[in-house]
Amino acid sequence: MAGFAAFCWGSATVMSKSALDAVSPVALLVVQLGASSLVLWSLILVTRRPLLNRRSLLLAAALGLLEPGIAYLLGLIGLVHVLAGDATLIQASEAIMIVVLSALVLREPPSIGFVLLSVVALVGLTVALGVIGPRSGQSSPFGIAMIAVATATAAVYVVMSSRLITEDSLDPVILVGVQQLSALALALLALPVEAVWSDSGLRWPTGAEAWMIAGISGVVQYAIAFSAYMYALTRITANVAGSFLNLTPVFGIGVAAMALNETLSLPQLFGATVTLVAVTLIQLRDTSTTAH
């Protein structure tokens, strides 16, 4: 499930990057979260899932402010000002942040093998993103800072959500539904700020196709991906689930190559393969350990 979530995030990131050419970041976030919340809560009502108790509800809403709220709000703003390769490389550091936070908060210290495989996955990811070698364009310090803060916020969200969902035995769909309503409220409050702060003001999708792409990307990136990831956290540790985040940019590169006709070099293909193998070995190690 964590791998499937990474695929959804990687695919939707390509759609979001494309949409940002015509839609302002906060407006895009509102459309995406609105579509995602509509799907999630329709599913919750149709299946008559039990709602959360007051404590879990408040905690879930607070975590939703972290991610998708603050994390994606800052991430979309930063994505406008940075190269896609730089953004995905910074976001890849989330897996390492999760390991550190899990050791501090959840008392889940990683094994030496886990650390070594994570380093191999990150090195492979660096090669796959084409960071080594000449690049066109330059990322702004402001954009880099936004992506970095967003990534750190997302890491805190993953660790705290893992603790909440395991201790309270929560339904992943209900948890994600509450979190995304909270994030949607934050995004709506940020709309007037963007209207005043942004040089181009609020820019909404224009035309049925643009609205459809924005809505679908929201359902894939938020409703499906977050639900799958929360379900994974009920089965595996936050450390192992976090290692799958290395696959997000790999999938993003692959989808961009197919959808946008972007060519991949042999070193990039090699780096992507190394990352896939390293993450697979991490999963196999975790499965073997759990079996014993």
Side-chain angles (χ1 to χ4, degrees):
M1 278 295 184
F4 178 65
F7 171 76
C8 291
W9 278 318
S11 303
T13 297
V14 176
M15 290 187 281
S16 294
K17 179 64 176 176
S18 176
L20 284 172
D21 292 335
V23 184
S24 57
V26 181
L28 177 60
L29 185 61
V30 168
V31 174
Q32 290 178 325
L33 285 173
S36 176
S37 296
L38 179 62
V39 169
L40 284 169
W41 282 97
S42 295
L43 176 61
I44 291 169
L45 293 175
V46 168
T47 56
R48 298 181 178 180
R49 294 169 184 262
L51 298 180
L52 305 179
N53 58 50
R54 183 177 179 182
R55 172 185 174 277
S56 297
L57 180 65
L58 292 176
L59 289 175
L63 288 173
L65 292 178
L66 288 179
E67 190 179 27
I70 296 173
Y72 275 84
L73 184 62
L74 298 180
L76 286 174
I77 293 173
L79 195 57
V80 176
H81 302 280
V82 301
L83 298 173
D86 289 345
T88 49
L89 181 61
I90 295 170
Q91 290 167 345
S93 65
E94 182 180 348
I96 298 175
M97 295 180 186
I98 289 173
V99 171
V100 175
L101 287 171
S102 293
L104 295 174
V105 178
L106 303 180
R107 307 298 182 185
E108 296 176 0
S111 65
I112 296 177
F114 179 93
V115 173
L116 291 176
L117 286 172
S118 295
V119 171
V120 170
L122 187 59
V123 171
L125 180 59
T126 303
V127 176
L129 292 174
V131 175
I132 300 174
R135 295 176 297 162
S136 59
Q138 185 177 2
S139 297
S140 73
F142 171 77
I144 292 173
M146 290 295 99
I147 298 292
V149 174
T151 302
T153 303
V156 174
Y157 162 85
V158 168
V159 173
M160 298 310 296
S161 289
S162 174
R163 184 173 183 174
L164 177 61
I165 201 169
T166 53
E167 289 183 356
D168 292 12
S169 301
L170 302 181
D171 183 327
V173 176
I174 289 284
L175 177 62
V176 172
V178 171
Q179 289 176 338
Q180 294 192 12
L181 274 183
S182 176
L184 177 59
L186 177 65
L188 288 170
L189 290 175
L191 277 176
V193 178
E194 182 174 60
V196 175
W197 171 73
S198 176
D199 294 334
S200 56
L202 286 175
R203 290 177 292 128
W204 297 96
T206 55
E209 183 178 352
W211 278 97
M212 183 176 67
I213 292 175
I216 291 175
S217 68
V219 172
V220 172
Q221 188 166 8
Y222 298 104
I224 299 176
F226 275 87
S227 295
Y229 198 78
M230 287 300 106
Y231 178 80
L233 287 176
T234 66
R235 304 289 178 174
I236 56 180
T237 66
N239 280 347
V240 176
S243 70
F244 280 89
L245 296 176
N246 289 307
L247 298 180
T248 301
V250 173
F251 287 134
I253 291 171
V255 171
M258 292 185 291
L260 305 178
N261 296 319
E262 294 183 3
T263 58
L264 296 177
S265 65
L266 286 178
Q268 284 181 299
L269 288 173
F270 174 75
T273 301
V274 168
T275 300
L276 286 168
V277 170
V279 172
T280 300
L281 290 175
I282 289 174
Q283 172 64 12
L284 290 175
R285 282 173 55 87
D286 178 73
T287 303
S288 176
T289 302
T290 302
H292 290 84

